[in-house]
Every structure is written in structure tokens, then in C-alpha cells.
Amino acid sequence: MNIDISENDSSIIKPEIHVNPDLPHEVKARVQNLFEANYVNAVKPPEPATENIFKLTLIDEKPFFCSPRRLSYHEKAELRTTLDNLMSKKVIRESTSEYASPIVLTKKKNGETRMCVDYRTLNKVTARDNFPLPLIEDQLDLLTGKKYFTTLDLKDGFYHVRMHENSVKYTSFVTPLVRDTGNYLRTSSIPRILAGNKVKIITDCQALNLTLLKKETNPRIARWVLEMQNYDYVLEHRPGSRMQHVDALSRQITVVEDNTFDRNLALCQSEDQNIASIRNELEHSEQKLFEMRNGLVYRKHCGQVLFYVPIALEPSVMHKYHNEMGHVGIEKTVRNIMSSYWFPEIKTKVKNHIKNCLKCVAFTPDSRRSQGSLHSIPKGDAPFSTLHVDHLALTSRSNSSAKHYIFLVVDAFTKHVKLYATKTTNAAEVIKNLKTYFEY
């Protein structure tokens, strides 16, 4: 049984249920009635009957902040639509939390874009919720004798779990659209905000507080004191240990971890000049051959998007897919690489890599025609059965009329040798000498 819900309007739901046509009509009618009564026409309660509020417990309460990843022009438009949709449904809200995780855009099977939040930094400092899972054997025993099984896939199921109010601040995320919409406070607008308002300035710089209390200061500081007297403010000192949430907004926390192969590729791509120029173009317009996802450049090829390998790591990619994968040939190495990666002139570079691979040179058999083995000629069982003939040339040829060759005849059975001096090696002189040999 499959259930499809098409939602063209928030107030109109058109149910469509597919029941096995082989079932009796009474069963299908009963399923249809149950579906409409308990699902389609059911009244949504103001509060869920069973409410599970999710609460996060952090091992380390130190605030963390991750910079947003760069997105292409097309991705920014899709992200803006997704955020507006979530805001209208009140799934997300604006936040001023000192915690911030970056987002990642991924493709669904139908080609649409899904926004995910990269909570890896949050997961590292979150205490594990150790809850005993039921034994799979017991669950299988409960299915004994059952005939009908149902699988449910909740729409936007991730957003159905309510977060504890004290844990909401940990789940905040940041996007590059903040800069585009102007939500960042500009320095030039600060005087207009402070004018006419009483404000409190909290700082962890005790030297500033003590300097302003001095009666005699240098002229440079005195000018700043006179400028600040135009505003109604109170200066309060707070130790640095209590100002970590402020530091997180101005300092980027670097998490040191082992770099994987793909991570190294991503880092080196930002340093490649050719890729950097393509990335800058993709931020303002789309291209036919390239695409940018989460700040990384990909090459479009035969309906796929392949990671653009920076030139510095091309040898590493070829080593991984040739040397570490059985020293396969050129075509198979190129095919394996292009299952995930791409770089210019890939076939030519792979060919040169394999040509200079020491193992391939040492263990690859020679593809040229091999030389045949020598086989001894049977000597026969009587004289004159087998004769070996050859010509030997003399090195000195001062006299043109002299004989410069020796015609050699050897009887294989008796080992008898006969030599004849000849002027040439042509067939007529060979036949003449052989006739002489047999007459002898």
C-alpha cells in the first residue's frame, strides 16, 4: 500500500491511496475508510499526545563559530527560497546565539536542493545519549503471524522533533546570505545608534578602564575621550573568562584534525589560480562546464559533477588510482579517476604517469614480436643427407678481379668440410660449386 499526498494549498489536501488490486473489495473499502477517517479528516490536536522534547548536554560550554561556506549565484538563490520557506513555517527563526554551524547544500534524487547543517563541531562537544536499544531478535519474534506491514515516511520528519528552549542556541547556523541582506552591523552606523541612547560598554580590557580614569593622558587618548563624551555611556570591566561568547564573534576557532584525502583536495583547490578564477565567475553567473557547490568547483561531465582536482594534487590522484589499485592500464585508470574526479588533459597525464611507473616498466612483458628459438637440424644417418652451406667474406679487397668470398660446405654426418674461393655470392656460382662438390 502506497500513500501519496499532494499539497498545492495549505488548506487543501488531496489524498491518493494505492491498495493492492488483488485484495477483496471489502478489504480495500475498509482501508480507504480507515485512511480517510484517521488520517485525512483527522483533527490536529493543539498539542501532541506524546511530546518528546530534545535536550542537548554539552561537555564543553565554550562557544564555537564557523564561517559560512561560499556558494554560487544559483545556490544562493535556492538557499534564499529554502530559508524563506522555513521561516514562513516557523521552523527556524533569526538568532543572535554565540554558537554557529555552517550549512551544506546537497542534491536530492529528484534534482532539488536540500539544505543541511554541518553539526560536526557541535557533535564533538555533545554528551552521548546512552539509551538501550531493543534486541533485534525480540522485535523479529513480535512479527510472528503478522500479515500486513506498513512503512511510514514523515514529511520533513527532522522538523517534527521539538528542541528544548535552552538547547535551541546550540543549533543555530550561519549562511553567506547574511552579508547580502545587510544584517551585519556597519561601523559607520554606530554613532547614529548611540546618539540619544544610554548604553553600557562591557570590555575585558582593564587598561582601557584605568586609562579613562586618569586625569592626565597623552593627546591621542585625550581626543578619543573627548569624542566619547558626546555619548551617554557607562564603562564596565568584565574578566576575559566571562567574555568568551564575544570573542567567538570576532575570532575563528580552528579545529585541528587529521586531514583526509578529500579534505586535502578541498584545501588545495582554494590555492589553485585557475580554479580560483572559475570560482569567481561562478559566484556571479552560471557556466556550461563548471558548477560550484559549497565553495568547491566541480566539472560537469555526461550528467555527472566531478570534483576539479587542483594541479598540485594531480600526481596524488593518479598514484591513488593506479599504483594503489593494482597498476591497471591507461583506460581503466582514467575511468576509475573520472568516477569522482576530473582535471585537464587527464588521459595524457595518466599515460605519462604509467609510462614512468617503475613497477609497470619492470613487470610489463614486451609487446613486440618475440624472437624464435634455435633448433638443431638433424644430421641424418648417412653422408650427403644434410649439408650446411654459407659464405665468408674476406676483409681485404684491393684487387677487383680477385676472389673475395669463401663458399663453405659442411657434411653434417661426417663433419667433412670443403672450401671454395668465389668472386660473388650469387646463385649461379653456388650451383657451380655444389656440382663440383658432388662430383668429387
Side-chain angles (χ1 to χ4, degrees):
M1 181 180 70
N2 297 325
I3 299 174
D4 295 335
I5 298 295
S6 59
E7 187 176 352
N8 298 325
D9 187 80
S10 59
S11 60
I12 301 176
I13 299 178
K14 298 180 180 180
E16 183 180 358
I17 183 171
H18 305 282
V19 184
N20 186 356
D22 297 332
L23 293 176
H25 176 73
E26 295 77 7
V27 176
K28 292 190 290 184
R30 184 180 178 186
V31 171
Q32 180 71 29
N33 295 333
L34 289 174
F35 170 64
E36 293 181 359
N38 296 280
Y39 188 83
V40 178
N41 301 324
V43 179
K44 182 180 179 181
E47 295 292 337
T50 303
E51 187 175 19
N52 183 19
I53 300 178
F54 194 73
K55 183 177 181 180
L56 295 176
T57 303
L58 268 57
I59 302 174
D60 186 1
E61 293 284 344
K62 184 178 180 180
F64 58 84
F65 177 85
C66 299
S67 299
R69 296 185 175 95
R70 300 176 67 179
L71 300 177
S72 66
Y73 177 81
H74 179 68
E75 288 177 324
K76 288 180 180 179
E78 291 184 337
L79 175 60
R80 187 176 289 106
T81 302
T82 301
L83 293 177
D84 292 342
N85 183 31
L86 294 177
M87 289 285 289
S88 63
K89 295 181 178 180
K90 297 183 180 181
V91 174
I92 62 174
R93 66 191 185 193
E94 294 184 357
S95 173
T96 57
S97 172
E98 61 271 26
Y99 300 86
S101 299
I103 64 163
V104 178
L105 297 183
T106 60
K107 289 292 184 181
K108 298 180 182 179
K109 293 182 179 180
N110 57 3
E112 296 180 359
T113 301
R114 175 188 286 114
M115 186 194 77
C116 304
V117 184
D118 186 359
Y119 282 129
R120 287 182 293 180
T121 305
L122 175 62
N123 292 337
K124 291 180 180 179
V125 296
T126 303
R128 293 186 58 183
D129 186 9
N130 296 318
F131 186 82
L133 296 177
L135 296 177
I136 186 63
E137 291 81 3
D138 294 342
Q139 303 305 308
L140 293 176
D141 292 341
L142 296 176
L143 300 179
T144 303
K146 304 299 188 296
K147 296 182 180 180
Y148 301 101
F149 305 93
T150 304
T151 59
L152 296 178
D153 185 8
L154 297 178
K155 179 177 175 57
D156 298 330
F158 182 78
Y159 301 128
H160 292 180
V161 181
R162 180 173 297 183
M163 185 67 62
H164 193 279
E165 188 63 30
N166 295 336
S167 300
V168 172
K169 62 180 181 179
Y170 302 136
T171 62
S172 61
F173 59 88
V174 62
T175 71
L177 299 183
V178 177
R179 294 189 180 92
D180 297 339
T181 56
N183 289 338
Y184 279 173
L185 185 64
R186 298 181 180 271
T187 306
S188 59
S189 63
I190 293 180
R192 295 195 299 269
I193 297 175
L194 296 180
N197 296 318
K198 185 175 182 178
V199 296
K200 178 188 291 187
I201 302 175
I202 302 175
T203 177
D204 60 352
C205 182
Q206 179 68 358
L208 174 63
N209 195 12
L210 297 177
T211 300
L212 296 179
L213 295 177
K214 287 185 178 180
K215 295 182 179 181
E216 296 181 2
T217 58
N218 61 56
R220 184 178 180 182
I221 297 178
R223 287 196 299 270
W224 281 104
V225 173
L226 292 175
E227 181 69 23
M228 295 178 66
Q229 287 180 353
N230 296 324
Y231 307 101
D232 185 7
Y233 72 94
V234 176
L235 189 64
E236 179 181 328
H237 172 259
R238 183 176 294 177
S241 59
R242 299 175 55 196
M243 298 287 286
Q244 295 179 357
H245 61 291
V246 179
D247 291 341
L249 299 177
S250 60
R251 302 174 187 176
Q252 183 173 352
I253 301 174
T254 303
V255 180
V256 180
E257 57 184 6
D258 293 336
N259 286 340
T260 61
F261 182 73
D262 291 338
R263 178 61 175 165
N264 288 331
L265 286 174
L267 292 174
C268 290
Q269 196 184 76
S270 61
E271 301 175 358
D272 192 292
Q273 297 298 327
N274 295 331
I275 300 178
S277 62
I278 297 175
R279 183 188 296 111
N280 293 334
E281 295 177 3
L282 289 172
E283 289 184 350
H284 301 89
S285 63
E286 295 189 41
Q287 288 194 10
K288 182 179 179 181
L289 298 178
F290 298 97
E291 179 179 332
M292 186 166 70
R293 294 184 178 181
N294 300 314
L296 302 177
V297 178
Y298 292 81
R299 175 66 150 80
K300 300 177 182 178
H301 178 75
C302 298
Q304 293 181 310
V305 283
L306 308 176
F307 185 87
Y308 192 153
V309 179
I311 190 172
L313 288 182
E314 287 178 0
S316 300
V317 173
M318 290 185 288
H319 183 276
K320 177 180 179 180
Y321 283 89
H322 174 71
N323 300 57
E324 297 180 7
M325 301 185 74
H327 294 270
V328 295
I330 299 174
E331 298 296 334
K332 192 168 184 178
T333 301
V334 172
R335 187 166 61 251
N336 292 339
I337 293 176
M338 294 192 67
S339 62
S340 304
Y341 304 106
W342 178 90
F343 51 86
E345 300 178 355
I346 181 172
K347 190 169 184 178
T348 302
K349 294 177 180 178
V350 168
K351 182 178 180 181
N352 293 332
H353 177 83
I354 296 178
K355 182 179 178 180
N356 295 280
C357 178
L358 296 180
K359 280 194 175 182
C360 292
V361 172
F363 294 100
T364 300
D366 193 350
S367 59
R368 297 174 297 179
R369 181 180 296 179
S370 59
Q371 299 179 354
S373 303
L374 295 177
H375 300 280
S376 60
I377 301 175
K379 63 182 181 179
D381 53 0
F384 301 104
S385 297
T386 303
L387 297 178
H388 301 288
V389 296
D390 200 359
H391 281 93
L392 300 177
L394 302 177
T395 58
S396 177
R397 299 183 182 182
S398 57
N399 190 354
S400 59
S401 62
K403 296 180 179 181
H404 301 291
Y405 299 95
I406 296 177
F407 180 63
L408 172 67
V409 181
V410 180
D411 188 296
F413 182 77
T414 62
K415 303 299 190 292
H416 178 72
V417 178
K418 190 68 176 179
L419 303 176
Y420 298 93
T422 62
K423 291 182 178 181
T424 64
T425 59
N426 56 34
E429 198 164 1
V430 170
I431 295 173
K432 176 184 176 182
N433 292 324
L434 287 176
K435 287 182 178 181
T436 305
Y437 177 81
F438 285 110
E439 290 175 356
Y440 176 80

